[in-house]
Amino acid sequence: MPGRTLPTITSTDVASRKTAASCYVTVGTKVYDVTGFLDAHPGGGELILEYGGKDVAEIMDDQLSHAHSDSAKEMLDEMLIGFVATAPVMKTAVQSEKPENILPLPPNNEGMRELRENGVTGEPPRDQVCAATGMSSAADLSKETDANADYHAHKFLDLDKPLLMQVWHGGFSKDFYLEQVHRPRHYKGGKSAPLFGNFLEPLSKTPWYVIPIVWLPPVAYGSFLAYQGLQSFLQTLLYWLTGLGLWTLIEYGMHRGLFHVDKYLPDNRVGLTAHFLLHGIHHYLPMDKLRLVMPPTLFVALATPFYKLAHTIFYWDWYAATAVFCGGIFGYICYDLTHYFLHHKTLPSFYQDLKKYHLQHHYKDFENGFGVTSRFWDRVFGTELAPLRQKVD
């Protein structure tokens, strides 16, 4: 327990420190000045600012939201600047037979025992690891995987060798494959691990900016053709927005019913290899920047049936069907770019909840949270991830 040389800070002062210029957080009775850590936080400073002036004990140890590693808590200890007598602390002191054990802060051992009995803690909680992914927080994604040690420990894939043929020839059971592929690895500071190991390798890598470059011109041209045929901007816009809205449902349906068809995956190497190519590799190496957006060749294969579907549903007017399809493709562009930015960019505050939500899908609960651009359909179909809880004393 620290000595009593650190000051007691008023709860009003603590509550006011919630800006980038001065940000405090508390864990029970302890006050930490985290202002200097905002820019260095792996999830972005905005995540900390959401809890500025508040108690973060519960959120730091919530295994379904944002649990932290021991090293993160050691860093927090270095930022301790004082103590705060919160309402639960004051209530406990008033009711105590020996309030001098509690106040002035920090409490002695007897005072700490009383505080804990009343649900107040002054120590950072112990680290918890999510059993399904082997990760305790989103910060763990930056921890480089030792390829040799990982292979010998898990007997799954050697990250230094072409991955696809290892999956094909591995003889893995479905249960073992799914257990391993959902435990994220991080390869050589974010580089792309070899997938094919031959001339096909470049086809598996797609920089994010390729998506708007390749697909925005066809969307613009198709939208123009639709407008020429419909001869009404408002009518074209309504059909186009219909396609955009339908995309949000397609996005959810593909993510849940195609990419995460884990329970119905055939227990053979064909099924496992197809799963790995389609989406498994993304969960296995989620921070690979060049294998996050969809390669144009793969999207053409997936988009063709939807083109035919749009023209089947809106059979009475080719131009209307084209407008619907173009709106849907624009939705896809927004989806792929959003997905990339959620993984790799510090986003405006508007998108921070969405970023936390998607990271929760990757590192806490891959069986829920299938919406990427929105959680709307997760709410409709009952697959919404548990919200992040915050505790305010």
Side-chain angles (χ1 to χ4, degrees), residues 12 45 94 101 108 120 139 153-154 158 193 237 245 254 290 297 369 386:
T12 302
V94 169
N101 289 337
N108 60 26
V120 184
H154 298 284
D158 185 341
L237 179 63
M254 289 181 65
L290 296 180
T297 48

Side-chain angles (χ1 to χ4, degrees), residues 256-369:
R256 182 181 181 181
L258 181 61
F259 298 163
H260 281 272
V261 66
D262 297 2
K263 293 181 181 179
Y264 306 100
L265 196 63
D267 194 356
N268 58 53
R269 64 182 184 177
V270 175
L272 301 188
T273 304
H275 179 275
F276 188 77
L277 274 176
L278 194 60
H279 197 60
I281 190 173
H282 175 53
H283 274 261
Y284 189 61
L285 293 162
M287 299 310 292
D288 183 339
K289 292 184 177 183
L290 296 180
R291 293 201 179 103
L292 206 155
V293 299
M294 193 175 295
T297 48
L298 177 59
F299 184 67
V300 167
L302 293 176
T304 300
F306 291 109
Y307 177 84
K308 296 183 180 297
L309 179 62
H311 284 269
T312 300
I313 295 175
F314 297 89
Y315 64 89
W316 63 87
D317 193 323
W318 186 91
Y319 298 102
T322 300
V324 169
F325 182 71
C326 288
I329 298 301
F330 183 78
Y332 155 73
I333 296 170
C334 294
Y335 154 78
D336 239 357
L337 296 183
T338 299
H339 190 197
Y340 179 87
F341 295 146
L342 292 180
H343 276 262
H344 295 292
K345 298 294 182 181
T346 299
L347 299 170
S349 57
F350 177 78
Y351 284 101
Q352 284 303 319
D353 281 342
L354 198 60
K355 181 184 181 78
K356 289 186 290 184
Y357 188 76
H358 185 64
L359 292 180
Q360 191 177 347
H361 166 74
H362 269 282
Y363 306 110
K364 301 299 177 186
D365 183 3
F366 55 82
E367 295 180 319
N368 291 290

Side-chain angles (χ1 to χ4, degrees), residues 213-254:
I213 290 175
V214 169
W215 296 117
L216 279 179
V219 167
Y221 179 66
S223 300
F224 174 74
L225 285 182
Y227 170 70
Q228 292 292 97
L230 294 170
Q231 297 183 340
S232 165
F233 176 79
L234 180 60
Q235 189 178 21
T236 305
L237 179 63
L238 289 175
Y239 278 121
W240 198 89
L241 291 176
T242 298
L244 182 61
L246 286 173
W247 164 257
T248 65
L249 180 59
I250 293 169
E251 171 197 312
Y252 175 88
M254 289 181 65

